[in-house]
């Protein structure tokens, strides 16, 4: 049956001229109480030129689910991690090390290409959780280096510490700043270090001038695009449930900011995704 969310969702945007990948989505997370039809989500995305997706599992339950679902759908690759907001709970339970061990074991699946999302979130977790988040982040950095997988970073209100810890630990070969939220100076520093900036629907928000300024100084070869579905729905549908089929709205907003043709941007985004994650 068609996905109930899509039946009540925004209309499909104009398809992209060249297919791109959704670099970060959560197909296991539901925001409105309806079951998610994964096959229909994938099909709806493909119809508008989003033919590859990276499904991210960010706690042990969703990481295990991700390892199962990527075997069922060729359009999906996977990523697994303990989200920074989950790390304090594991520290309290005394099982953070065990959780990281399971994440590394799950990452051995041949279609698992990402360690993430890991990182720091100082917005939702107070000062008492900083130590656990930083310990978890360092652990994920080491897993990414041992496995050779891309590291996807969640960074909310923690720009300086994220960059500092990456420098202290030595960054993996491939680093992606998921849902990049820094300004121009951070964008330039990330590019200098060779990191990728993944742009979400937030770039379409009226109050996102600093993000658009950061995007404008980022070379095409350092860019990716994502939904973070079901969150961060691009304008003009902000506040509704997001899904991978809405990525064309974000891509076209990016192209406008960068002053490049949409096909040119799509080619770069597609090539960058294959460079970061390998073939689907």
């Amino acid at each position: 049956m068609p996905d109930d969310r899509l039946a009540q969702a925004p209309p499909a945007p104009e398809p992209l001229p060249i297919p791109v990948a959704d670099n970060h989505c959560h197909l296991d997370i539901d925001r409105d109480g309806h079951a998610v039809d994964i096959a229909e989500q994938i099909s709806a995305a493909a119809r508008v030129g989003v033919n590859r997706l990276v499904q991210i599992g960010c706690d042990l339950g969703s990481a295990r689910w991700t390892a199962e679902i990527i075997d069922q759908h060729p359009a999906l690759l996977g990523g697994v991690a303990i989200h920074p907001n989950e790390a304090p709970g594991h520290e309290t339970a005394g099982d953070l090390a065990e959780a990281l061990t399971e994440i590394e074991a799950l990452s051995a699946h041949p279609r698992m290409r990402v360690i993430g999302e890991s990182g720091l979130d100082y917005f939702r977790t107070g000062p008492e959780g900083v130590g656990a988040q930083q310990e978890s982040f360092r652990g994920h950095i080491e897993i990414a280096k041992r496995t050779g997988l891309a590291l996807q970073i969640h960074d909310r209100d923690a720009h300086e510490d994220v960059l500092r810890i990456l420098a202290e630990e030595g960054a993996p070969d491939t680093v992606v700043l998921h849902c990049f939220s820094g300004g121009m100076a951070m964008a330039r520093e990330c590019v200098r270090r060779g990191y990728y900036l993944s742009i979400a629907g937030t770039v379409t928000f009226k109050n996102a001038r600093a993000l658009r300024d950061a995007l404008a100084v980022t070379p095409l070869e350092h860019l990716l695009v994502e939904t973070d579905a079901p969150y961060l729905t691009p304008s003009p549908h902000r506040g509704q449930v997001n899904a991978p089929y809405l990525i064309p709205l974000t891509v076209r907003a990016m192209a406008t900011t960068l002053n490049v043709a949409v096909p040119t941007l799509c080619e770069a985004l597609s090539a960058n995704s294959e460079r970061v994650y390998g073939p689907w």
Side-chain angles (χ1 to χ4, degrees), residues 65-90:
W65 182 88
T66 297
E68 296 176 1
I69 203 71
I70 57 178
D71 267 338
Q72 300 174 27
H73 300 282
L76 300 181
L77 295 178
V80 288
I82 302 300
H83 191 283
N85 289 322
E86 299 289 326
H90 284 288

Side-chain angles (χ1 to χ4, degrees), residues 139-150:
H140 285 88
I141 291 170
E142 291 307 310
I143 293 172
K145 290 195 289 188
R146 283 196 296 270
T147 61
L149 299 180

Side-chain angles (χ1 to χ4, degrees), residues 103-188:
I103 289 298
E104 185 162 3
L106 289 168
S107 75
H109 188 295
R111 295 185 62 75
M112 205 71 77
R113 307 290 174 78
V114 175
I115 301 300
E117 60 192 281
S118 178
L120 304 174
D121 189 320
Y122 294 169
F123 178 80
R124 291 194 202 136
T125 299
E128 70 281 356
V130 167
Q133 286 196 1
Q134 294 190 0
E135 178 185 355
S136 179
F137 184 29
R138 292 179 192 273
H140 285 88
I141 291 170
E142 291 307 310
I143 293 172
K145 290 195 289 188
R146 283 196 296 270
T147 61
L149 299 180
L151 177 69
Q152 281 200 14
I153 294 174
H154 174 104
D155 165 24
R156 190 166 187 187
D157 294 353
H159 304 329
E160 291 183 6
D161 279 356
V162 163
L163 293 178
R164 174 181 59 81
I165 290 172
L166 283 168
E168 290 174 355
E169 295 295 319
D173 289 340
T174 306
V175 173
V176 177
L177 275 296
H178 141 66
C179 189
F180 182 78
S181 59
M184 291 174 65
M186 185 175 181
R188 288 188 169 115

Side-chain angles (χ1 to χ4, degrees), residues 155 159-160 162-163 166 175-199 203 208-224 254 257-258:
D155 165 24
H159 304 329
E160 291 183 6
V162 163
L163 293 178
L166 283 168
V175 173
V176 177
L177 275 296
H178 141 66
C179 189
F180 182 78
S181 59
M184 291 174 65
M186 185 175 181
R188 288 188 169 115
E189 176 61 17
C190 288
V191 168
R192 186 188 71 80
R193 295 187 185 194
Y195 303 164
Y196 291 85
L197 279 57
S198 180
I199 306 300
V203 76
R209 176 62 182 272
L211 175 57
R212 287 188 287 274
D213 289 345
L215 171 61
V217 300
T218 303
L220 293 186
E221 59 268 25
H222 288 268
L223 289 172
L224 297 166
M254 291 171 66
T257 298
L258 290 161

